[in-house]
Amino acid sequence: QVQLVEFGGGLVQAGGSLKLSCTASGRTFNIRDMGWFRQAPGKAREFVASITKVPGIPSYADFGQGRFTISRDSPGNTVWLQMNSLKPEDTAIYYCAVNEYGAPHGTYDYWGQGTQVTVSS
């Protein structure tokens, strides 16, 4: 089992920045990809960004390109999401997720509890 704890959500004005963090504990040796998803009220959960274990290849949703940066520490147990130039439409609950080696790419096995990001106009 893997447990995920997220930090860093909050209220920010449009154009501002926030940095989310997520730390994994438990069976971390088998974690492959770490990612961020978000869910806005009344909308489906959507992919935000992900990063592989070494060499740490990132992927981003189109809306995050150029504004969001995902990074990961060397042991591979902590992932950050730096969000710049935030817009009101970025308001959502942001979830950290990880998968393990052997899981189909794009699927995630463990999820955090979520952290609220609110961007005011």
Side-chain angles (χ1 to χ4, degrees), residues 31-102:
I31 293 175
R32 187 182 67 207
D33 306 322
M34 301 185 83
W36 290 94
F37 292 75
R38 70 185 188 183
Q39 187 167 19
K43 295 187 176 181
R45 186 172 60 195
E46 61 181 350
F47 170 78
V48 177
S50 67
I51 187 166
T52 67
K53 206 161 186 179
V54 175
I57 299 172
S59 296
Y60 297 97
D62 288 345
F63 61 77
Q65 288 280 0
R67 298 192 300 129
F68 295 176
T69 302
I70 190 169
S71 58
R72 187 171 176 176
D73 67 343
S74 296
N77 298 335
T78 299
V79 63
W80 296 274
L81 183 68
Q82 175 69 47
M83 303 186 292
N84 299 326
S85 302
L86 283 163
K87 306 173 182 179
E89 50 264 44
D90 293 318
T91 295
I93 299 175
Y94 283 70
Y95 297 92
C96 174
V98 304
N99 59 26
E100 295 184 305
Y101 285 98

Side-chain angles (χ1 to χ4, degrees), residues 4-50:
L4 301 171
V5 179
E6 301 121 329
F7 293 98
L11 173 65
V12 65
Q13 287 188 330
S17 299
L18 278 176
K19 187 172 185 177
L20 307 182
S21 67
C22 172
T23 298
S25 61
R27 197 173 66 182
T28 59
F29 66 91
N30 207 37
I31 293 175
R32 187 182 67 207
D33 306 322
M34 301 185 83
W36 290 94
F37 292 75
R38 70 185 188 183
Q39 187 167 19
K43 295 187 176 181
R45 186 172 60 195
E46 61 181 350
F47 170 78
V48 177
S50 67

